[in-house]
Amino acid sequence: MRVLLALILLGALGVTKGRHIAADQTQPSVGGLPFQIGKLDSSRINQPCPRFFTSPPEINRAKDRIAREPAAKAVIDRAVAEADEQLPLKATPLDESWWLRSKDKPWAETYPEVFENTCVKPSRIARGANSLATAWLLTGTTNYANKAIELLLALAPYSFEPVHYDVGMNYAVWGVKFLEAYDALWPMLTSNQRVQIDECLTRMAAAIARNDVYWIDNNVGGGINNHLAWHKTMLGLLGMFYNRPELVDYSMNGRRGLVPLLADGLVDDGLWCESSLAYQFAAIGPMLIFADCQRRTGTRPALSEVTAANGRTLKQSYDSMFRVLAPNLLIPPIGDAYGQRTSLWKITLYEHAWSIWGDAKYAWLLNQNPARPIASLYSPPTPSNAPAPPVGSVLLPEHGYVFLRSCSDEQYWNNPEAVCAFLTYDRSGVHSNADKLSLMLFGRNRMLLTDAESIATVPHAFSSRVQNELNRGGLSQNTVMIDGQNQRSAPQMLRLVEYHDLPAEKRATATDDTGALYE
């Protein structure tokens, strides 16, 4: 199947390294779709740009705030400094010869180089172009626009030849930034430059769609996976940008579309199902980007307004995270966290959530961030007196998580006296570790008992030796071990014996009384 897919891809695209691809060669067909990708043609776009990731009213609002508010001025100063760092970036096409040496290797062996060459390297250019385009929008400095255009055109010849599990998501990750820069720079581009970028995005759409069909047909990643959310988001964004409603509908409602992913991928009150709290935003993050662009373009029905089967909504997935935090807003590193520790206020997606839903608890969260991102200039100002969200002890039975808290509501947050104990008896999902019956304890505004993970020193942490040989094993978890052995991967949830949330005592007990983890 791997070789067959590679031949189909190469034959459909007609790609030769380093050669500009003519327009009549960029209409690849993809099997398994209810429509043809065809040719993405921006000459048919009648609406003015930028209109997608930001809009003229938002840009004017940002400029007005920059002129009046010191905090807004600090935001743009950081953005300009970031753009200045991109000016020396080389605007040369990427060397894709690595694929000729690696295309016949087993996929499991090529994770690192596929990640480096289909995600890391193009992302560096796409992010640079986007940073520069943003600085141009808000300062009017043409040097930023000129350099951003150079970088976009350096990526435009990209072949999208590699075939691997990960490439669809990898292309989508940098494709979002690439499209955002394209939307911003639209007025500065010539018709020929737009054609080159359109052809690039046509090849990208075909490559992502082909990878998406492969994931679905082969049930990769357990069938419900964050990769699918990235595939569908990028295809849907291209559908909106190029006025292709069939692409948008497929992304939302097609096989494993964003709406079915909400219905089948959320558990309890909105947590994602992949057995890692660090992976919550890997799936719902691209969904929110898609919904935010729908808000600006007036696309209906918008994902932010849809109620999927099981009563699931996108907003639930953002609300649910407030119930799983330590007192200092730290996200417990359960499952694959790669040694990283992050707090919810660092998740800048909540800037977009605030713009879409205007929920006061999002405003409270954003106010915890001492250095807010550029998106904060486009969104409505947050009230300084936004109330803290209510919270208390929580049992999440579908996920198998228990949070016992000594304090509740506003007395809990940022309180060094507050204590939180977190117990998991979750089933083993794709990003789980050998951590069933593990205990984390938070107090004094830090973790007191925690996973003892190592940060990978290679770019692709998921496939790294330290992740497979240490971080996922029982030794790194504060859990039950027998005879020094790792737990077995248990697809079933363990049994909750008791859960009591009383004023004088809060207690939870879970057990493995069927030998799921050990004989």
Side-chain angles (χ1 to χ4, degrees):
M1 177 62 72
R2 172 173 58 84
V3 176
L4 175 62
L5 285 172
L7 291 174
I8 291 173
L9 182 62
L10 294 173
L13 295 181
V15 171
T16 301
K17 179 182 178 295
R19 175 170 60 84
H20 178 68
I21 299 171
D24 60 358
Q25 293 178 282
T26 59
Q27 301 184 42
S29 61
V30 180
L33 295 179
F35 55 86
Q36 294 293 320
I37 296 291
K39 177 182 177 182
L40 301 180
D41 185 1
S42 63
S43 67
R44 301 175 183 175
I45 299 175
N46 297 321
Q47 299 93 332
C49 293
R51 61 186 174 90
F52 218 60
F53 294 89
T54 188
S55 64
E58 289 175 323
I59 293 169
N60 291 336
R61 174 195 292 164
K63 290 180 177 179
D64 180 64
R65 293 179 61 184
I66 291 167
R68 293 185 296 104
E69 302 173 15
K73 180 63 166 57
V75 172
I76 189 61
D77 286 346
R78 289 192 295 271
V80 167
E82 181 181 342
D84 288 340
E85 293 176 359
Q86 311 307 315
L87 290 173
L89 197 61
K90 290 184 179 180
T92 54
L94 294 172
D95 180 4
E96 300 186 63
S97 62
W98 68 274
W99 178 239
L100 297 176
R101 300 187 298 271
S102 302
K103 63 182 181 179
D104 294 324
K105 295 179 182 178
W107 287 4
E109 296 179 10
T110 59
Y111 266 116
E113 57 187 331
V114 166
F115 179 67
E116 181 179 6
N117 288 285
T118 68
C119 189
V120 175
K121 290 181 178 179
S123 289
R124 190 177 298 126
I125 298 174
R127 282 198 308 268
N130 187 53
S131 296
L132 290 157
T134 298
W136 171 70
L137 283 177
L138 296 178
T139 67
T141 303
T142 55
N143 283 348
Y144 293 141
N146 293 336
K147 183 64 179 184
I149 292 170
E150 286 182 28
L151 294 176
L152 286 186
L153 296 178
L155 272 180
Y158 195 84
S159 71
F160 299 96
E161 287 185 16
V163 180
H164 186 271
Y165 299 118
D166 278 9
V167 291
M169 183 180 71
N170 291 349
Y171 296 151
V173 166
W174 64 264
V176 170
K177 294 298 182 185
F178 186 83
L179 183 61
E180 183 174 357
Y182 186 25
D183 180 53
L185 295 165
W186 179 270
M188 299 287 286
L189 294 164
T190 67
S191 59
N192 180 62
Q193 290 170 336
R194 292 174 186 170
V195 167
Q196 294 179 57
I197 295 170
D198 290 344
E199 292 174 359
C200 176
L201 291 172
T202 298
R203 296 193 300 278
M204 178 188 288
I208 292 174
R210 189 172 292 109
N211 190 245
D212 186 59
V213 170
Y214 180 86
W215 270 70
I216 296 169
D217 287 348
N218 293 276
N219 217 40
V220 182
I224 304 296
N225 194 279
N226 66 85
H227 284 243
L228 297 165
W230 279 102
H231 302 165
K232 294 302 198 299
T233 290
M234 192 64 217
L235 293 174
L237 290 175
L238 292 172
M240 279 191 285
F241 187 82
Y242 287 99
N243 295 327
R244 294 284 301 276
E246 71 277 18
L247 262 172
V248 179
D249 181 66
Y250 173 77
S251 298
M252 287 189 65
N253 305 305
R255 292 196 302 164
R256 311 277 169 84
L258 298 178
V259 175
L261 285 177
L262 286 177
D264 298 330
L266 299 183
V267 298
D268 292 304
D269 58 352
L271 294 180
W272 186 247
C273 65
E274 291 189 59
S275 299
S276 169
L277 288 174
Y279 267 82
Q280 177 79 0
F281 299 100
I284 67 171
M287 294 185 190
L288 189 67
I289 294 170
F290 180 77
D292 202 27
C293 290
Q294 286 183 309
R295 173 179 66 87
R296 291 190 183 89
T297 58
T299 305
R300 294 292 182 273
L303 188 63
S304 59
E305 302 167 342
V306 168
T307 299
N310 304 319
R312 295 303 188 185
T313 68
L314 182 60
K315 188 175 186 299
Q316 289 172 358
S317 64
Y318 284 84
D319 293 346
S320 64
M321 289 302 291
F322 289 88
R323 303 182 71 196
V324 301
L325 301 177
N328 63 350
L329 281 72
L330 186 74
I331 301 172
I334 192 70
D336 281 345
Y338 309 108
Q340 303 290 341
R341 304 292 182 260
T342 192
S343 298
L344 193 65
W345 59 262
K346 295 180 181 179
I347 306 298
T348 59
L349 290 161
Y350 280 94
E351 298 283 356
H352 306 285
W354 165 245
S355 293
I356 293 172
W357 293 298
D359 193 316
K361 63 177 171 287
Y362 302 159
W364 172 84
L365 177 69
L366 298 177
N367 289 340
Q368 311 300 309
N369 189 345
R372 291 176 64 183
I374 201 72
S376 66
L377 300 182
Y378 301 139
S379 59
T382 54
S384 58
N385 61 347
V391 70
S393 295
V394 175
L395 169 64
L396 299 169
E398 289 184 277
H399 232 321
Y401 293 163
V402 174
F403 293 85
L404 300 178
R405 294 182 168 99
S406 64
C407 303
S408 61
D409 301 334
E410 65 272 8
Q411 284 79 36
Y412 177 75
W413 302 112
N414 297 310
N415 179 1
E417 301 301 319
V419 176
C420 175
F422 170 41
L423 171 70
T424 177
Y425 55 100
D426 192 11
R427 60 180 56 83
S428 294
V430 64
H431 286 291
S432 64
N433 293 174
D435 54 12
K436 308 301 174 283
L437 303 179
S438 70
L439 175 66
M440 294 186 196
L441 185 66
F442 305 87
R444 301 178 183 174
N445 273 338
R446 60 183 179 272
M447 283 195 293
L448 301 176
L449 295 175
T450 183
D451 286 6
E453 298 179 326
S454 174
I455 296 175
T457 57
V458 295
H460 195 250
F462 178 81
S463 63
S464 65
R465 286 188 61 190
V466 74
Q467 187 67 14
N468 287 305
E469 297 177 10
L470 176 67
N471 290 352
R472 292 195 182 109
L475 186 63
S476 285
Q477 325 299 328
N478 190 37
T479 187
V480 174
M481 291 185 72
I482 295 179
D483 295 336
Q485 300 300 308
N486 286 331
Q487 300 171 354
R488 293 184 296 199
S489 179
Q492 73 271 33
M493 189 179 299
L494 304 184
R495 185 169 70 89
L496 179 68
V497 177
E498 60 176 350
Y499 171 77
H500 297 289
D501 180 22
L502 304 173
E505 182 182 72
K506 303 175 190 302
R507 184 174 73 246
T509 304
T511 182
D512 173 21
D513 51 10
T514 64
L517 302 180
Y518 297 97
E519 294 291 345

